């Protein structure tokens, strides 16, 4: 892999993590003394993707803004890797009138026409709309593809099955991605999924499937490259499952008492790990690490400043936007 | 006539079509006009739609625009939503409304909410058409109307034609609308050769494309003594009952709602202001649905408009039974309506 | 007090529990009594239920009777139905009611209809419990109440407690009932340590097992000027508004429905007969739902009981917005209720 | 296979066919002159299973009345092979008060506690309740199993996927049966299913799967024997797909204009074919064929006479049985 790509993958992951660390901070900052999920600058459920950046960076490196992504309740890494405007994203998370959805959506409901990005809080139900985006791309023969993402827990929902079958049958330009972070809230993979790899299931739809066992951005990049290429050139859908890592809780506030895989979790963080790899390969230096971090911080700071200084929606507009 | 009635396009033509053919004609004209319109669903291709809602479209437009799907309602209705998000205008058929339970998440959590959640930045222009209604012993899972369920959840327009001319005009309006529109057609008004049909399922339909505006009720019959608010097949039972009662000197006004979302509240209010009596005829389940909402229109405005208690002729809160004797005890028949008019006038 | 109130078991104890703990205690006592009772759902085991509806049950009864499921609501809710058909008494949790769309077919076409379709030969004794409600910025797919949707479809009982004592008694009644009972608990009354909670989410709960009869409303506050019909968390907002208005000399009666199916129609009627004024407070969507049905009770009996137009304080027909400023404009707050009382008395 | 079993399989198929021929006759008898689906002694949709008897006979030969079956909108062959009382079945189809559901259910909604039989008009949605029956059998350790049946079209519905996964995960005593009759109403298998065999999909749940390519009752019997045995003895679920034959229309009244596989269809009828086999094997004689037919006819006649002479439910009882 060329160094430019490596650096770019690293930068993408850092940007996503930097953004989420800022959100993490502000989310918890003003929920004290009695922690209240509905209070503060950022209220509501907050599902952060830290640890899963390799999936987003590795897949989205092959995409451009005319390709669609449908993501999950845990969408930030994908939104950022796909190039969503951080200001619009942040403003939506802070519930502001300047946000992507003018504050109506929130962090599970990001809709960005500029990057054909959307997500949903209902697990696996982002798969079907991706088929439709792919269908329209195919009908217009514009070379774009759709990427549909879901978790390993969600892969046991009916929508997963129906979508894979229909996409295969109609030879739609879709890449299905399963983020296997071992957990669906508190339920471990072995208690949710009767098979070791969802790539195995792809065979049941006559579709290529690949499981990436290592949470490495380069491994994801390789697998996604083939799948995206296939979709873009009429080869139809494929599935990629990545064994990734949920570094933090299911949502913020999750005490994770049920979790038995926390030992040494910091060492499994894919970002420092990749930094180390790139440093020893001579691609990255300590100075570059610092400057990438600084760039990320300044973008994120600007986005969050924009969000915080934006107006709060007026309650009297509550019925605006129900119908077009 | 006190109410503004939509100019009825059927006045200007003598050509008669069944409701099914009128619907298909509307779809076909729009598909010719706009190549972003396409049709998908189970058996909509070679079969032409189980209730003839798509007959001939495959032959006319080919398999690239008229597509049979697997029995995967979540996937293909979601596909329609995704295509609409990208600017296409899908018409997707849910074969029976009774099957909504396998795909409702796509409908009400996605199709219906995307526009709002996106703050108006993403439109979802599609038509979800679906067959409703009983009367031919198809049992508890194939005979429901369920429009109350769809109308309760925000973000979907809901239209329910009762005759061929409206069926065509509402279909065209639905296709052109930038919102998701649920289009519910009653099997008993389609004019199918294999099912008992209401005589009015064949009626005059103009040849050109036209819209019937979504959200305007029609006065199917003007009268001064009792307001009968209804829709779909029941409009015809209400008209039959009204004719019968006219002989007894009772003058019924029949309001055909045509659209539940938006609901033409002022049409109901104006009529009840005139008559002082409200009878609601609804083939959906009685409680927590349409009939309560119609009542609320009056109660929120002026409950004392009602000179007599409101009466509902609806499906009592029972699953639709199979045996004909039981099913017709549950359905809003002309007999039940006539009896109710007598009671309300007593 | 004109209405018969269910003897409130909370009178006989001074021990206080949160609603969540009261529910769990009810489940636990029934599981001890009857080994055909078991619990399944997402995160009901080690996690103890996302909203603490099953905390401690895994430890008490083990993994053979308290089971985490995959995220396959159709499969595991259908599993519950099948087990109930064979005489077990499952308690199955749908984590948020908002997810009904992925599994509604199992609920309303199967669970709800089997007893009827079998002509009474097959019973389906189960409890489907589910979290409802908003107020903490969880957005359009995680904040709904949707009880109107469940109550509209025949074959399901629907109960909605507002306080710890009722939560326990209705849970026990639901488990013992031979029908499928949908048990809807509002997150805001569970008494969770991580969410703003109503002060009344902690209350006296008797230690022994007891039933609160399904189908009987409670008079949460007796009064003579205005009837406020409500349920769930909104009961408390209504009580707060009533207290405030009492200072201005307005005496409100607050009816806590507790059960939508069966609906205690006579409790509503008796109260409105006394007060002549009807305010309905509903955290579900306004149109085609609960508020219309309550209105119909009066209109079917005697519309002239109402001395003033009925007023609804409900979620306007919009998806629940994320931003707090918008969400609280949609929710039925104490402020909106107070303003409505003033209007109805004007 | 022993001759007794062979004869019994044959008898079961003949009984089912005889019953359906009688229903076919009465269904069409009084819908003239203007054919009206809602009119006549037997109104409503009528999905007959002629041609698919090998599936029912072959599977049910391994079951007893304490085993459960959840069937589809096309349920008669399974109901009869599982030993449902023909009188109660017929009376339900004729909408009589003496029917299985007192006339409330109809032919798609047969519930028979005596044989733990049920069916549903919603495709694939019979799978999940079968899991629950199996769960209760397992909890009580009573040795019973559940058989869940669906069509090849239905196998693309979400409930199929969820049910297979959950049954495998919980090791439930279930046999999943897919009746592949090549058609889902007018949609051919190739337009609905992205894979040649649903047995392939079983692998995606770590479950044994077998496709029986020949619509032969003995082949089904063999495959089902293994699957039932496995389920009964703690081996968990398996899947059997049978390539069977829809001899008649999807429902009565279906003109089947879409159908391109009608040529020589009569020769593919599995019942005469099996009779021929058994005759040439010396197991069956012409006299026996006649006497089996006569026995079937007399049972069916009695059932239908019972139905026709039974009272029609009273409309005033419409609200009976909503709640227990
Ligand atoms: C249909 C549906 N059921 C349940 C939920 C509640 N829920 C939200 S996230 C989640 C776990 C999802 O696990 P997984 O798919 O592995 O994604 P992850 O959270 O690990 O990224 C659950 C059960 C939901 N949102 N939608
Ligand atoms: C969820 C759902 N969608 C659609 C239908 C309508 N429908 C009834 S039978 C059928 C075809 C079923 O095909 P298959 O599963 O192959 O069974 P077969 O009829 O061939 O026995 C369809 C589409 C239904 N009953 N349920
Ligand atoms: Mg996960
Ligand atoms: Mg088939």
């Amino acid at each position: 892999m060329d160094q430019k790509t490596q650096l770019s993958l690293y930068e993408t992951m850092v940007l996503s993590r930097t953004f989420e660390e800022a959100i993490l901070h502000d989310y918890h900052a003003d929920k004290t003394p009695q922690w209240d999920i509905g209070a503060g600058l950022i209220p509501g459920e907050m599902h952060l993707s830290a640890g899963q950046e390799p999936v987003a960076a590795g897949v989205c490196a092959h995409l451009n803004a005319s390709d669609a992504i449908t993501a999950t309740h845990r969408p930030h890494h994908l939104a950022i890797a796909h190039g969503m405007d951080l200001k619009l994203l942040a403003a939506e998370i802070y519930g502001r009138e300047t946000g992507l959805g003018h504050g109506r959506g929130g962090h599970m409901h990001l809709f960005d026409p500029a990057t054909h990005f959307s997500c949903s809080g209902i697990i696996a139900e982002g798969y079907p709309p991706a088929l439709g985006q792919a269908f329209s791309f195919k009908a217009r023969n514009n070379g774009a593809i759709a990427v549909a993402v879901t978790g390993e827990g969600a892969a046991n929902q009916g929508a997963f099955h129906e979508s894979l079958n229909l996409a295969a049958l109609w030879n739609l330009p879709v890449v299905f991605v399963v983020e296997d972070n071992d957990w669906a809230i508190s339920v471990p993979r072995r208690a949710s999924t009767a098979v070791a790899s969802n790539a195995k299931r792809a065979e049941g739809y006559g579709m290529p499937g690949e499981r990436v066992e290592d949470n490495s951005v380069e491994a994801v990049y390789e697998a996604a490259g083939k799948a995206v290429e296939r979709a873009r050139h009429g080869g139809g859908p494929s599935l990629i499952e990545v064994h990734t890592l949920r570094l933090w809780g299911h949502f913020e506030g999750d005490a994770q008492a049920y979790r038995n895989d926390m030992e040494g979790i910091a060492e499994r963080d894919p970002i420092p790990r990749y930094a180390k790899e790139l440093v020893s390969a001579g691609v990255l230096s300590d100075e570059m690490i610092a400057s990438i971090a600084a760039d990320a911080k300044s973008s994120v700071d600007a986005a969050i400043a924009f969000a915080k200084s934006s107006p709060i929606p007026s309650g009297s507009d509550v019925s605006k936007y129900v119908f077009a | 006539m006190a109410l503004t009635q939509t100019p009825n396009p059927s006045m200007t033509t003598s050509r008669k079509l069944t409701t099914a053919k009128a619907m298909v004609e509307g779809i076909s004209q729009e598909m010719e006009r706009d190549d972003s319109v396409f049709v998908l669903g189970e058996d909509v291709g070679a079969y032409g739609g189980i209730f003839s809602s798509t007959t001939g479209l495959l032959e006319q437009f080919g398999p690239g625009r008229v597509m049979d799907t697997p029995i995967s309602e979540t996937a293909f209705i979601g596909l329609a939503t995704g295509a609409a998000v990208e600017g296409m205008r899908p018409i997707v058929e849910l074969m029976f409304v009774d099957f909504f339970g396998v795909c409702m998440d796509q409908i009400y959590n996605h199709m219906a909410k995307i526009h709002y959640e996106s703050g108006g930045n993403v439109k979802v222009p599609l038509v979800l058409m679906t067959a409703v209604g009983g009367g031919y012993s198809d049992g508890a899972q194939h005979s429901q109307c369920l429009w109350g369920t769809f109308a309760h959840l925000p973000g979907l327009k809901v239209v329910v034609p009762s005759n061929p001319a409206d069926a065509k005009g509402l279909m065209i309006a639905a296709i052109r609308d930038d919102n998701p529109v649920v289009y519910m057609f009653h099997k008993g008004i389609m004019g199918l050769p294999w099912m008992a049909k209401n005589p009015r399922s064949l009626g005059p339909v103009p040849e050109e494309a036209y819209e019937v505006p979504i959200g305007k009720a029609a006065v199917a019959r003007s009268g001064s003594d009792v307001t009968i608010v209804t829709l779909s097949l029941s409009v015809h039972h209400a008209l039959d009952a009204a004719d019968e009662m006219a002989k007894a000197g009772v003058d019924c006004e029949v309001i055909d709602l045509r659209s539940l979302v938006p609901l033409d509240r002022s049409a109901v209010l104006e009529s009840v202001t005139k008559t002082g009596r409200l009878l609601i005829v609804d083939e959906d389940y009685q409680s927590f649905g349409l009939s309560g909402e119609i009542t609320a229109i009056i109660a929120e405005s002026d409950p004392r408009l009602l000179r007599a208690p409101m009466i509902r002729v609806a499906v009592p809160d029972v699953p639709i039974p199979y045996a004909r004797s039981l099913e017709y005890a549950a359905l809003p028949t002309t007999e039940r309506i006539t009896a109710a008019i007598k009671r309300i006038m007593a």
Side-chain angles (χ1 to χ4, degrees), chain B residues 261-331:
Chain B
V261 181
L263 182 61
D264 193 345
R265 293 175 193 271
S266 63
V268 173
L269 197 55
E270 279 185 60
S271 179
V272 175
T273 303
K274 177 171 68 172
T275 64
R277 295 188 185 84
L278 175 61
L279 173 64
I280 302 161
V281 182
D282 182 8
E283 198 182 318
D284 194 1
Y285 301 116
Q286 173 162 314
S287 296
F288 301 90
L290 169 66
S291 56
E293 189 59 28
I294 299 298
T295 309
I297 296 173
I298 311 303
E300 281 181 323
S301 170
D302 179 1
R304 309 221 150 196
L305 287 176
L306 292 179
R307 279 187 274 163
M310 172 276 285
I311 296 184
R312 304 194 262 192
V313 176
V315 174
D317 300 318
V318 302
I320 312 280
Y322 166 67
R324 196 175 178 84
S325 54
L326 294 164
E327 186 181 16
Y328 275 81
L331 293 174

Side-chain angles (χ1 to χ4, degrees), chain A residues 170-188:
Chain A
W170 291 9
N171 199 40
L172 297 174
V174 185
V175 176
F176 295 106
V177 176
V178 178
E179 295 185 289
D180 175 8
N181 61 9
D182 288 323
W183 296 95
I185 312 187
S186 71
V187 178

Side-chain angles (χ1 to χ4, degrees), chain B residues 60-80:
Chain B
Q60 200 185 346
F61 297 100
R65 292 180 69 194
V66 181
M67 279 149 301
D68 279 336
T69 60
I71 317 174
S72 307
E73 286 85 355
T74 290
F76 74 75
I77 293 178
L79 186 152

Side-chain angles (χ1 to χ4, degrees), chain A:
Chain A
M1 184 177 297
D2 64 282
Q3 300 195 353
K4 194 162 149 266
T5 307
Q6 290 179 310
L7 279 178
S8 153
L9 293 173
Y10 178 72
E11 282 163 6
T12 302
M13 296 202 292
V14 169
L15 182 60
S16 180
R17 180 69 60 84
T18 306
F19 183 83
E20 288 206 328
E21 280 170 343
I23 297 293
L24 180 72
H25 174 272
D26 274 10
Y27 184 80
H28 289 286
D30 53 357
K31 288 192 169 53
T32 46
Q34 162 70 313
W35 201 86
D36 171 5
I37 188 174
L41 260 179
I42 308 177
E45 286 186 61
M46 178 51 61
H47 312 84
L48 297 175
S49 63
Q52 304 185 189
E53 295 91 348
V55 184
V59 170
C60 296
H62 301 284
L63 307 180
N64 55 61
S66 38
D67 295 318
I69 297 188
T70 63
T72 68
H73 56 288
R74 197 182 300 290
H76 303 157
H77 55 325
L78 291 153
I80 292 169
H82 196 41
M84 185 183 282
D85 183 325
L86 287 188
K87 290 197 168 83
L88 302 182
L89 170 60
E92 188 60 24
I93 293 174
Y94 285 77
R96 302 304 166 114
E97 194 60 47
T98 54
L100 274 175
H102 300 309
R104 271 72 179 169
H107 109 106
M108 287 190 281
H109 309 293
L110 306 168
F111 294 88
D112 183 18
T115 57
H116 298 261
F117 184 94
S118 66
C119 56
S120 167
I122 310 297
I123 62 94
E125 295 281 336
Y127 269 24
L131 304 190
Q133 293 177 292
F135 178 89
S136 79
F137 300 154
K138 192 178 169 183
R140 289 168 184 168
N141 200 15
N142 67 4
I145 70 157
V147 175
V149 184
T150 209
E152 92 295 338
N156 300 300
Q157 179 73 215
F160 174 88
H161 173 68
E162 296 190 7
S163 299
L164 266 66
N165 183 60
L166 187 52
L169 209 56
W170 291 9
N171 199 40
L172 297 174
V174 185
V175 176
F176 295 106
V177 176
V178 178
E179 295 185 289
D180 175 8
N181 61 9
D182 288 323
W183 296 95
I185 312 187
S186 71
V187 178
R189 183 191 169 100
R190 83 183 131 62
S192 76
T193 310
V195 70
S197 162
N198 273 299
K200 182 85 200 147
R201 288 180 173 170
E203 294 171 23
Y205 312 95
M207 182 190 296
E210 180 171 349
R211 182 168 162 100
V212 178
E213 198 47 66
D214 184 16
N215 191 26
S216 129
V217 70
E218 295 196 4
V220 176
Y221 180 87
E222 293 306 332
K226 285 177 278 172
V228 169
E229 183 75 359
R230 190 179 297 121
R232 233 186 257 299
H233 298 102
S238 11
L239 180 140
I240 298 169
E241 178 166 68
V242 183
H243 191 186
T244 185
L245 175 71
R246 198 184 83 196
L247 202 52
W248 301 340
H250 171 72
F251 37 32
E252 287 312 307
D254 177 3
Q256 303 200 74
Y258 54 82
R259 205 160 158 180
N260 54 7
D261 61 345
M262 295 295 282
E263 219 188 284
I265 195 168
E267 283 103 82
R268 300 206 300 281
D269 186 334
I271 298 184
R273 213 189 74 183
Y274 193 47
K276 220 192 246 168
E277 272 173 50
L278 293 187
V279 169
S280 45
V283 179
L284 201 61
S285 64
D286 284 357
E287 296 71 49
M288 286 164 81
I289 291 180
S291 101
I292 290 169
D295 284 357
K297 184 166 180 335
S298 87
S299 304
V300 167
D301 284 352
I304 288 178
F306 171 79
K308 288 186 180 171
S309 66
S310 290
I312 284 172
S314 158
S316 60
D317 284 339
V318 66
S319 292
K320 212 168 152 180
Y321 305 127
V322 180
F323 288 113

